[in-house]
Amino acid sequence: MTGVGAGAVELGGDPRTVPPGERGETTIADRVVAKIASQAAREALGVLPRDAEPPHASVVVRHGTARVRVHVELDYPGDMGGRCAWVRRRIVERVHDLAGMSVPEVVVQVERLHLAARPDTVGGGLP
């Protein structure tokens, strides 16, 4: 009975009759929440610039809430504020849906900007 709280074994009763508050709790590791946040950022950003690193996140979980810091690379020029806001919303949504945690803080740190290729240049050279 490794998946059942110790209280059920000590009481000698059927584990299914133990009140919910005494059954124990599920703990989700910070690194699992970080992977969820990283994937959510990838989903929000869509296609990344050719040589960009995928987003990566670090997370601190306390008392059922997750504070997230995600590092991204974006193309430039573009709507950086709008893209960062979409990344924040997507992370909050996915962490809540998959881990059941509230996310009161998401810091989006733009690590690098990639100059978008101009359509009038071939191979990245000057016109």
Side-chain angles (χ1 to χ4, degrees), residues 51-75:
D51 57 343
E53 292 290 322
H56 61 278
S58 58
V59 175
V60 176
V61 176
R62 288 206 172 86
H63 307 295
T65 62
R67 298 195 185 283
V68 179
R69 177 177 295 272
V70 64
H71 303 265
V72 298
E73 296 184 11
L74 300 175
D75 49 354

Side-chain angles (χ1 to χ4, degrees), residues 23-110:
R23 290 184 196 160
E25 64 182 42
T26 302
T27 303
I28 300 173
D30 293 12
R31 67 189 176 120
V32 172
V33 180
K35 287 183 180 187
I36 293 170
S38 296
Q39 178 61 36
R42 271 193 290 277
E43 293 168 3
L45 292 174
V47 178
L48 296 174
R50 184 177 34 151
D51 57 343
E53 292 290 322
H56 61 278
S58 58
V59 175
V60 176
V61 176
R62 288 206 172 86
H63 307 295
T65 62
R67 298 195 185 283
V68 179
R69 177 177 295 272
V70 64
H71 303 265
V72 298
E73 296 184 11
L74 300 175
D75 49 354
Y76 180 84
D79 180 11
M80 287 183 277
R83 294 187 79 193
C84 289
W86 175 235
V87 167
R88 283 186 200 94
R89 283 191 302 271
R90 186 68 178 162
I91 288 173
V92 168
E93 175 185 282
R94 296 299 283 161
V95 169
H96 182 267
D97 290 348
L98 296 175
M101 295 180 185
S102 64
V103 185
E105 177 181 4
V106 177
V107 175
V108 179
Q109 186 167 337
V110 178

Side-chain angles (χ1 to χ4, degrees), residues 106-118:
V106 177
V107 175
V108 179
Q109 186 167 337
V110 178
E111 292 288 323
R112 187 170 157 200
L113 296 175
H114 296 268
L115 190 59
R118 294 188 346 215

